Amino acid sequence: MSELRFDNVSVRYGGRRRGTTAVDTVSLTVGDGEIVGLVGESGSGKSSLARAAVGLAPVTSGRIELDGRPAPRRSVQMVFQDPYSSLDPRMTVGASIGEVTPRAVTDRRAEIRRVLELVELDPGLARSFPGQLSGGQRQRVAVARVLAARPEVVIADEITSALDVSIQGTVLNLLRGLQRELGLSMLFISHNLAVVRYVASTVAVMYRGRIVEQGPADDVLRDPQHPYTRDLVAAIPGHRRHEPLDQGRTL
Ligand SMILES: Nc1ncnc2c1ncn2[C@@H]1O[C@H](COP(=O)(O)OP(=O)(O)OP(=O)(O)O)[C@@H](O)[C@H]1O
Ligand SMILES: [Mg+2]
């Protein structure tokens, strides 16, 4: 895994006059083996920043680099909120994973088994179609597929938002486990600060296209500086400022 750096990145949609600046000169670093949480209200530009890193949104100024160089295409991989946007419903789980496995991997079956086991799924599910799986299983397959591509950095954009609260916890625990086991570098996006805090050691707060606050998660939660961050912290159930967050109670 490696370091992903956004350096004064802006993303603008549409023309010069009528366009929208979705991301406004954002600088953010996802360190090697680190999970950085990006939180912000709907429309604040989180997905635009994420999509810019994988070539799906236009970078109008600034640079996005992996270890100081423009990132090769497959080295940054994204998991989306809706697994149907990354999984073809007509392909088996195994075929979907096999499709992105690098050519150098000769034993595809073993690789499919390896990544399904990494996301704690029965390797027998390789023969299933996405429609036969639960939402949580589908999202695990989406994560497995991304891991099969052997990325340097993973971007997870609201990957638990569509899941039941009880399932959300298991997927978040999975990500924490993967980070420990594989040293995964990850940008984890959510509009929910409690969720972000559960997986991320560093938190960045986005508001109207800008990062208004970033730092170690504990510091940001204990002593939020920006009014918007204060609102987010106040909205966490059971959380009182100036007290460390009880991780068991965050979900
Ligand atoms: N393809 C697009 N074309 C034009 N405008 C867009 C496009 N995608 C996003 N926008 C606009 O850019 C701004 C940021 O949107 P973005 O989707 O990045 O926010 P977000 O923080 O991911 O929101 P959410 O929490 O709802 O996913 C919004 O004003 C949105 O309407
Ligand atoms: Mg979004």
Side-chain angles (χ1 to χ4, degrees):
M1 294 282 166
S2 327
E3 180 180 277
L4 179 69
R5 218 161 81 90
F6 297 86
D7 183 13
N8 278 304
V9 170
S10 295
V11 172
R12 197 175 156 77
Y13 300 108
R16 214 165 245 255
R17 294 209 170 172
R18 290 249 182 116
T20 320
T21 300
V23 176
D24 189 1
T25 55
V26 162
S27 294
L28 179 68
T29 300
V30 181
D32 189 15
E34 184 187 25
I35 301 186
V36 173
L38 180 63
V39 68
E41 65 186 357
S42 183
S44 56
K46 306 180 298 296
S47 295
S48 298
L49 185 69
R51 287 168 171 272
V54 294
L56 293 174
V59 177
T60 43
S61 64
R63 281 177 309 185
I64 303 175
E65 290 180 337
L66 191 68
D67 292 333
R69 302 207 186 99
R73 227 165 235 258
R74 67 181 304 139
S75 56
V76 182
Q77 293 280 331
M78 196 159 157
V79 186
F80 300 88
Q81 171 170 355
D82 171 14
Y84 271 118
S85 47
S86 41
L87 298 178
D88 186 335
R90 294 159 306 179
M91 279 169 88
T92 62
V93 164
S96 269
I97 294 171
E99 189 187 44
V100 297
T101 303
R103 270 194 211 117
V105 177
T106 46
D107 190 345
R108 279 186 188 227
R109 274 198 182 191
E111 177 65 2
I112 291 164
R113 168 176 280 274
R114 182 185 79 90
V115 294
L116 286 175
E117 280 172 350
L118 274 176
V119 299
E120 293 161 12
L121 283 178
D122 173 3
L125 287 180
R127 290 185 294 275
S128 307
F129 289 90
Q132 297 171 301
L133 307 178
S134 71
Q137 286 175 322
R138 273 202 293 272
Q139 208 49 300
R140 281 170 194 262
V141 171
V143 173
R145 187 172 188 266
V146 151
L147 294 176
R150 308 276 176 111
E152 303 287 331
V153 180
V154 172
I155 300 182
D157 189 3
E158 302 274 8
I159 66 168
T160 61
S161 309
L163 303 176
D164 287 349
V165 174
S166 59
I167 310 292
Q168 281 186 21
T170 63
V171 172
L172 297 177
N173 282 329
L174 171 73
L175 295 181
R176 281 162 47 134
L178 289 173
Q179 194 261 335
R180 270 197 307 271
E181 273 174 52
L182 308 176
L184 201 63
S185 311
M186 182 165 198
L187 181 62
F188 180 89
I189 299 173
S190 173
H191 60 274
N192 184 335
L193 184 56
V195 165
V196 164
R197 196 266 169 270
Y198 191 68
V199 293
S201 50
T202 301
V203 169
V205 181
M206 204 162 177
Y207 184 68
R208 298 190 179 173
R210 289 179 167 255
I211 302 252
V212 293
E213 184 155 5
Q214 60 179 307
D218 289 334
D219 295 357
V220 171
L221 273 115
R222 197 179 311 116
D223 192 17
Q225 300 296 310
H226 192 271
Y228 175 65
T229 316
R230 285 192 203 128
D231 288 348
L232 281 180
V233 171
I236 298 178
H239 183 68
R240 274 175 287 165
R241 273 181 71 192
H242 304 295
E243 266 181 30
L245 200 69
D246 174 1
Q247 293 206 334
R249 281 202 313 188
T250 56
L251 295 174

